[in-house]
Amino acid sequence: MIRNQQALRNVVRRYATATGPQARASVPNYELFNQRLTKARSTILENKPLTLAQKILYAHLHDVSSMTSAPVPGESYLKLSPDRVAMQDASAQMAILQFMLSGMKQTAVPTSIHCDHLVEAYEGADLDVARSWQTSREIYEFLQAASQ
């Protein structure tokens, strides 16, 4: 089992990082974010100070000009344009199945799957990953095949 530890690490690591010709650049468009935030501040937010979370949300608004007033937390719906989607192994299965049914050839934004929720911490990293690979092999193989 110890011989396979490096191979297991490579398999798990491969899920989170896209390489090769299919990998797309995922550098955020900070200039666009700044434009959206500036427009939101001057129109619907009346130049009020914002928290970091609010700045991130307003920078990702799809169309600030269509909004007539500031969103009300817990009541308003926001149409956002995310620049990246990160999924965890436990919820990625359903998301991938739904994506497969959509008929799209690729995702609209860079997407990654981070496999760590199926690893139960018990005996140390190497043994825990090896045990996870044995108990959740079918899930890992599905995630790997479907995300290619």
Side-chain angles (χ1 to χ4, degrees):
M1 187 185 306
I2 305 265
R3 287 181 277 185
N4 295 329
Q5 288 177 3
Q6 186 60 40
L8 289 173
R9 282 191 192 124
N10 289 338
V11 169
V12 174
R13 178 69 180 127
R14 188 173 33 194
Y15 293 147
T17 305
T19 58
Q22 75 274 16
R24 291 178 280 167
S26 60
V27 177
N29 187 344
Y30 294 112
E31 185 178 325
L32 178 61
F33 293 166
N34 194 33
Q35 290 171 1
R36 288 178 181 165
L37 186 56
T38 301
K39 188 168 187 174
R41 278 183 181 223
S42 65
T43 57
I44 60 172
L45 301 174
E46 301 169 356
N47 292 314
K48 294 178 182 174
L50 302 172
T51 65
L52 176 61
Q54 289 172 317
K55 289 176 184 178
I56 292 170
L57 283 173
Y58 292 127
H60 287 85
L61 284 174
H62 181 70
D63 185 13
V64 179
S65 59
S66 68
M67 297 183 72
T68 57
S69 63
V72 178
E75 294 180 20
S76 302
Y77 288 93
L78 299 178
K79 186 173 182 182
L80 302 172
S81 296
D83 52 300
R84 165 168 218 82
V85 174
M87 298 180 282
Q88 59 182 326
D89 47 10
S91 59
Q93 298 169 64
M94 185 57 67
I96 289 175
L97 289 170
Q98 291 174 348
F99 177 75
M100 292 166 76
L101 290 173
S102 75
M104 296 173 65
K105 293 184 188 258
Q106 71 177 30
T107 58
V109 295
T111 306
S112 58
I113 303 168
H114 301 269
C115 294
D116 59 349
H117 288 81
L118 296 175
V119 179
E120 180 182 349
Y122 183 67
E123 297 174 328
D126 293 335
L127 293 174
D128 293 342
V129 169
R131 187 175 60 253
S132 175
W133 181 250
Q134 291 172 349
T135 59
S136 303
R137 180 182 208 104
E138 184 177 5
I139 295 169
Y140 290 137
E141 289 175 348
F142 166 74
L143 292 173
Q144 181 182 16
S147 63
Q148 297 297 321

